[in-house]
Amino acid sequence: GAGVSQSPSNKVTEKGKDVELRCDPISGHTALYWYRQSLGQGLEFLIYFQGNSAPDKSGLPSDRFSAERTGGSVSTLTIQRTQQEDSAVYLCASSENRPLEQYFGPGTRLTVT
Amino acid sequence: AQSVTQLDSHVSVSEGTPVLLRCNYSSSYSPSLFWYVQHPNKGLQLLLKYTSAATLVKGINGFEAEFKKSETSFHLTKPSAHMSDAAEYFCVVSGSYSNSGYALNFGKGTSLLVTP
């Protein structure tokens, strides 16, 4: 079946611009996670959705980051006024909300110039 | 809080020889532990998982890991390395449910190089 998909696969943007990253989870998976993979920080957790709600947004790096999930499916991670330190691969994962494996998408590589 | 430490940032083996990637974990309760692999420019793929069942866990592509509570370790092994095993390997821990769901805590990764 279809896995987790993310778009775009690559995004180059100028410093100060806003970007939107999209994640389409596996159908039926109620839990959705965003992670960031960068050279300096490794892989770090950003935010979790159970259905449409995110119980805790404190993992987001700054208030320029926001995320939403609509219809219990697609999620969008938005970064406003991008900075060079936002350059990273943004990964999305979905699961059945049990401590089992999370299925990862291919990621969006964001480059801020 | 839970965390993992991967003891080697780089491991180099010859094709056909055993692979050992070391991981120690820290957790105040019984953790769920995973190994993920990431090939160059590819997504993360689950190799195997431990969730308090059998302590010796078998995964895909001939990989195994043994959960040793007394040593707080979860080392990844494979009897014979293939060239296709060259990749970045992540040891990962997940704790009990919280406001972060079952968010994964990743180790820094071990880069495995396989030489002919």
Side-chain angles (χ1 to χ4, degrees), chain B residues 38-82:
Chain B
Q38 187 176 38
H39 288 91
N41 299 315
K42 300 283 187 180
L44 285 161
Q45 180 184 21
L46 179 72
L47 277 180
L48 48 81
K49 62 182 183 283
Y50 166 78
T51 54
S52 76
T55 56
L56 181 62
V57 181
K58 294 185 184 298
I60 62 171
N61 300 335
F63 284 94
E64 293 183 350
E66 186 171 8
F67 175 75
K68 292 188 176 180
K69 187 175 181 178
S70 61
E71 299 176 11
T72 62
S73 69
F74 190 58
H75 301 335
L76 182 70
T77 61
K78 183 174 180 177
S80 176
H82 294 168

Side-chain angles (χ1 to χ4, degrees), chain A residues 33 35 37 48 97 101-102, chain B residues 36 38 46 97 102 104:
Chain A
Y33 299 82
Y35 297 86
Q37 185 173 23
Y48 154 73
N97 206 37
E101 61 265 38
Q102 294 178 17
Chain B
Y36 279 82
Q38 187 176 38
L46 179 72
Y97 186 80
Y102 294 106
L104 302 178

Side-chain angles (χ1 to χ4, degrees), chain A residues 21-70:
Chain A
L21 312 180
R22 175 189 168 106
C23 171
D24 205 336
I26 293 173
S27 177
H29 280 188
T30 57
L32 186 147
Y33 299 82
W34 283 97
Y35 297 86
R36 180 169 72 172
Q37 185 173 23
S38 57
L39 283 177
Q41 301 298 321
L43 265 153
E44 55 180 336
F45 164 74
L46 297 180
I47 192 168
Y48 154 73
F49 285 91
Q50 174 56 31
N52 288 340
S53 65
D56 183 1
K57 300 181 180 180
S58 63
L60 295 173
S62 78
D63 58 8
R64 295 184 294 103
F65 286 69
S66 63
E68 65 175 16
R69 188 180 185 193
T70 55

